[in-house]
Each structure stands twice: as structure tokens, then as C-alpha cells.
Amino acid sequence: MKLSSRINWGIIALMFFAFIALSVAELRLLQSNTSTLISSETEKALASYTKAANATPASSQTKSMMLSAVAETLAARPSIASVNVTDEEGNVSVSHESASTDPIPSWFSLVDPAPAFKKRIALPNNDSYLVVTSDKHDTYSKFTAIVIKNATMFMALSFIVYLLVTILTKSALRPINDVIRKLNDMGGHNFTSPDASTSAKDFESLSITVNNLAATLASKFDDLTRQAELFKKEASKDALTGLSNRGAFERHMRALLNENATSQEKELIVVRLAQLASINTKLGMVPGDNYVKAITNILMEETKNNSSIRFVFRLSGGDFALISEPMEKPTRDLVLTNISTQCASVTPLRDGTKATWIGVTRFTGSMTMQQVMESVDSALIASMKTKSGWQLASDIAHVHSNSQWRERLNHIVSQQYADIMIQPVMDIEKNMPAYYETSGRFKDKKTNDVIPMSQLIPASERLDLIPEVDKLVTNIVFKKMEVTSQQVAINLSITSIANREFREWLVKELTQRENLCSKLFFEIEDAALIQQREYTELLCRHLMGLGCRITIEHFGDNFASLSGLRVIQPQFVKLSGRLTQGIHTNKDNQLFVSSLISIAKNLNIKVIAEMVETEAESIALTKLGVEHQQGYYFAKPALWNVY
């Protein structure tokens, strides 16, 4: 109910009680006046009779006639109902009543329950009495007129008060409405609307406060907008090389492959760094990063020297993509030879192995993204068997890639074996691992070489075998956990989370292994909270209900995942590695990470920073309040031996 309505109803209630009290008071005054009037009229009549009787001696009959005349005269007066002459025993000798015979309403009897007023006066020289009774109907008539008058007056007064209260309330609430309008504008991210103002001293501090708040939020919002634009721009770029990343590549390809695209051919060239994993393992991440930067410079230089190549992307750790106009075979061979030779010249490993594998495919707007990627993947696989190190997809069977990958993956699943690597997540305050993150490493059945995850995961997704691979890794981790007290984490892919059979299998296995749940974490990508939110929340509730704990990875990559984070309430969030690398020198990342930490701590969630590789990064993150860290600075992934 509005404030003005509340005030008006309060005033109306108060005036109603005043109306009742005034009416009752006027009724009492009316009763008093009636009794006074009757007493006065009776005494006057008696005086008149006494004077007449004394002036003219008369017989008893004459006196009786005189009394009858006096009684009749009195009975004709207003407010008198009856006039009687009675003796000592109450016998009536003379009786006169007023002409009014209208009944009195029952409600008035409730208002005025007292009997009619009677005035009894002894007659001179006689044993008789003059009894005068008031007329209650006359009192009722006068009281009704008073009530109507009061009601009319109070209704008019109530209306006037209602108007005054409404006007005054609106005037009084105008500053508050201005403040509400200002707050609503702020809620709509409009901080430049007119300031709230007031002429009333009582609301001056409120207006000043909200205007100052708007100015402060405007400054903060500008900073956040700038940060959002920066990160939106950065989200399309690879943090290490500055090249457009896989997301930008996919958006660009979708634009080329949409139904309105022209049928003009393009070429997709994918360069895979065959030695990157070995460099990272043997020499460390820093030499690996330097190698990737050198490759980037080579590819960018090639685009400057060749007008056919238009775009360069970094798809993943060791995969680069170039989009070009169709080239003639001699020109293409020259470009690929140049790329291969220069990439080999900058590798820090000199073990005689091939530095790069290059796959090339042609595509048109009528093809799908999956068709293009399968085609170039086929070329990449085939390039590993060529002397030159590159292969054109049109020169091999299209089914080669899928059939070969299915054979390799089926072999991995059937063997029910994988090497499990672990890397600690350090509790900085305690200087000890909070838990260990696990990951699977799989070997090719023919070469016994480790299959790069950058190749295995896309192939597994394409062939719908990701849930089977996740089952394999999870089973092996469960078996190892039976003989160790270490707390470990298992990564769950988005594809597996969306798979009902996998979810049911996982919950069933954990139900049978309740002793493991208290030392088990599950790491889930924050993208799962967007792409498969319903299934992710459902699975997390099951896992946490069994006593397992949850870590959300890549926190900060997707703002839309925050609402899902509130619902799940995981124990940890792991900051995206692109935010932590080089954070000691990146002020923008420091501000953004600080905001993310504040959000997490407000939700009572602990924060982990991944990919921490230097002491400077670790110190900077610790100062920002990151209490858990993971990366090469603390330990590289190592084989988990528990038997």
C-alpha cells in the first residue's frame, strides 16, 4: 500500500473516532438541554397555574379544568411527550400526550438506552403532582440531524485532508522517487542520467550519497567495460603468440562455410610441431614457449612473402592453421618446403626426427566444418609417412583418418591400460600438495610412442569415443587409489558429462567405492556450465552427495558460467592459465584476477592458479590472495607409481 494511502486511512480512522466521540458528546448535551428545557417549562406552567388559582378562588371542578388546560398547553410544547396530574398513590386525574406517534428506530435505543426524562412537581394546596415526560422521538430527530450534519462535515473534511495528504506526500516523496529513478538507471548501467536532487534538507544526504555512488560505479563500470573489451579481444587471441586462437579460427571457418558463402575454393594448411611435446618434457616449458614463438615468426613472415596466404591461427599447443587462396602445386611445394626447412632450423632438439607434419586440404562453402577438419586430419596422418613431411588430402582416401584413428582408439580401450601422470596442486601456506591432478597418456600400438593429446582428443570426439577413454582413465585411477592415501583429481570432459550412460556408470562405480570418495576430486571445465548446464549440475550434485569434491577449471574464460557456479558451490575454481602466465607484469590481468578471486571468496570457494612457471608469477599470485597454485615452478607431470 502506498504511503499516502496509509496516511489517509490513518487520518480517516482517526476522524471516524472523532466523529463518534463528537456525536456522543452532542447526544449527551442534547439530553441535558432537553431535561433543562422540560424543567423550565414545567416550573413556568406551575407558576402560571398557581397565580391563576390564587387570583380567582374557584371550585374543585374549576381547578381541575385549569390543570387540564395547563397540561394540554405543556403537552403541545416540543420535547414533551406527555403531561399527567397524579395523586399520592399514582392515580392519574388529568392526562395529555403529544400528537407524535412515530416509532423510534431500534438503533437509537442502543445509542440512548436511558428512559425518557420525567419532571415531577407538587401542586400547591393540593395532594396532586404535575408529571411531565420528555419526548424521545424529538431527541432522536434532533440527534439524527446532528449526525447528518457531522457526517457531511467529516466527509468534506476527509476529502480535503485526502487531497492535502496526496499532494504533500507526492511532494515529500519526489526526492525518494528521484533516488529510485537514479538507482534504476544505475541498474541498467546508465550512470550518466541526471543527478538526484532535493529541496528538502531531510533528503539532502540521501541524494548526495546516491549521486556519489553513481559516480563511483560509473568509474568502476568504465574500468570493467574496458577490461571486458580487452578480454573479449584477448579471448580471440593466443596469449603466447598473439595469433588468433582456435575460437577465432572456428568463427572464421563458419563464415567461409555458411550457406551464403561462395563456391570459391580455399586451402587450409595445418602445421603440427612434432617435437613440441618432447621439448616441453625434456627442456621445460620456457624453451617450448620460445620454440612456439619462433615458429610463429616463421609463419607470419611467410604470409608477408606470399600474397595467397591470408590468415594464420594457433589452434592448440603445437597446431597452427593457415588459410590461403588455392595455389598451384609448384608454388605450394615451395611454400611448404620453406616452412618445413625453417621450422627444423629453430628446433632446440637435434635428434634427427622430423620437426613438422603438414596437412593440406581444399574446401568450398558447401562443405561442413567436420568434413574440412577430417580431410585435413587425414592429410596430417598421411604426412607422417611421407619423406617431405606434408600431404595434400586430395591425394589420399578420405576415410583413412577415421578408420585409422578408430583402430588406434579401439586398441587403447581394449587394452584397458594407460600411463597415469600426476601433478600436484600446492597449498602455498602449508607448502604441501592439496591434491594431485591426474591425466592419461596413451601409446600407439605400432610405434609405442605417446600419442599427443592434441591429436587424440579431437579424434576421440569425432568418433564419439571420449566417454570410453574417460572410463578407462577413471578405472585405472580408482585401482591406484585403493593402495594410496593421496588425494587425486580426475578430469571429466564435457562430452562424457553429457553422456547419460557415462554419468550412470560413474555414480554406480563411486557408490561401490565409497571409501574413495573422501579423497577424490573431479575437475570440470567451466564451459560445461554453459554448454551442458543441466547435466553438469545434476552430476555435480550426485558426486558431492557421495562425498567427492569439485574443481571448476578455466575459471575466467566464460562469464556466463558464474550463475552455474553459484548453484554447484564447488570446493575449488582453477583460474585460466592465460590469466596467470606473466601476471607479475600484466596489470590488467592482475585487476581481472583480483575481481575473480573476490567473486570466488564471496561464494566460499577456494582459488587455484594453474600454469605457474616462475617464482615471480607465484609471488604475484600469492599477493593477490591465490592460496593454491599448480605448474612447472612446483613440479612437472610425473608418472604415478603406487605399486
Side-chain angles (χ1 to χ4, degrees), residues 15-26 154:
M15 294 184 69
F16 176 76
F17 287 120
F19 165 75
I20 297 296
L22 180 61
S23 298
V24 170
E26 293 205 1
F154 276 96

Side-chain angles (χ1 to χ4, degrees), residues 360-397:
V360 184
T361 187
R362 287 191 174 185
F363 64 93
T364 64
S366 61
M367 297 174 67
T368 66
M369 184 73 168
Q370 182 176 355
Q371 289 173 332
V372 176
M373 297 311 294
E374 285 184 4
S375 179
V376 78
D377 196 38
S378 298
L380 272 172
I381 297 298
S383 70
M384 297 178 186
K385 299 178 181 179
T386 65
K387 183 178 179 180
S388 62
W390 68 77
Q391 178 67 58
L392 186 64
S394 60
D395 295 339
I396 59 174

Side-chain angles (χ1 to χ4, degrees), residues 28-43 79 116-119 132 134-135 139:
R28 298 292 177 263
L29 180 61
L30 181 61
Q31 291 171 336
S32 176
N33 291 340
T34 299
S35 61
T36 301
L37 176 63
I38 290 175
S39 296
S40 174
E41 291 293 333
T42 303
E43 289 173 356
S79 304
F117 175 76
K118 289 186 178 182
K119 180 67 175 179
V132 180
S134 66
D135 186 0
T139 304

Side-chain angles (χ1 to χ4, degrees), residues 50-107:
T50 301
K51 182 178 179 181
N54 291 335
T56 309
S59 63
S60 297
Q61 184 177 4
T62 303
K63 288 182 179 181
S64 178
M65 291 176 64
M66 291 174 64
L67 281 173
S68 179
V70 169
E72 185 177 1
T73 302
L74 276 175
R77 301 283 177 86
S79 304
I80 297 176
S82 64
V83 180
N84 297 321
V85 177
T86 64
D87 57 17
E88 288 286 350
E89 286 76 20
N91 297 318
V92 178
S93 57
V94 177
S95 178
H96 284 280
E97 295 183 359
S98 67
S100 175
T101 58
D102 295 336
I104 298 175
S106 58
W107 66 265

Side-chain angles (χ1 to χ4, degrees), residues 17 32 39 41 133 208 217 283 495 519 551 601:
F17 287 120
S32 176
S39 296
E41 291 293 333
T133 304
I208 293 173
L217 289 178
L283 304 180
T495 304
K519 53 183 181 179
T551 296
K601 289 189 174 181

Side-chain angles (χ1 to χ4, degrees), residues 300-332:
M300 292 301 296
E301 189 65 27
E302 192 63 34
T303 62
K304 294 178 182 177
N305 298 332
N306 191 323
S307 59
S308 296
I309 301 175
R310 302 294 179 84
F311 303 96
V312 181
F313 303 88
R314 188 188 183 195
L315 303 184
S316 60
D319 283 0
F320 293 81
L322 296 83
I323 298 177
S324 76
E325 299 298 325
M327 293 181 281
E328 296 294 332
K329 186 178 185 306
T331 304
R332 184 192 312 110

Side-chain angles (χ1 to χ4, degrees), residues 449-485:
D449 293 332
V450 173
I451 303 174
M453 298 304 287
S454 60
Q455 300 176 27
L456 185 140
I457 291 176
S460 300
E461 290 178 341
R462 192 167 64 245
L463 299 173
D464 295 325
L465 289 173
I466 282 285
E468 295 301 320
V469 175
D470 279 354
K471 278 186 184 181
L472 171 58
V473 173
T474 303
N475 252 329
I476 297 173
V477 172
F478 284 171
K479 290 176 182 178
K480 289 181 177 289
M481 288 181 69
E482 296 285 357
V483 293
T484 179
S485 60

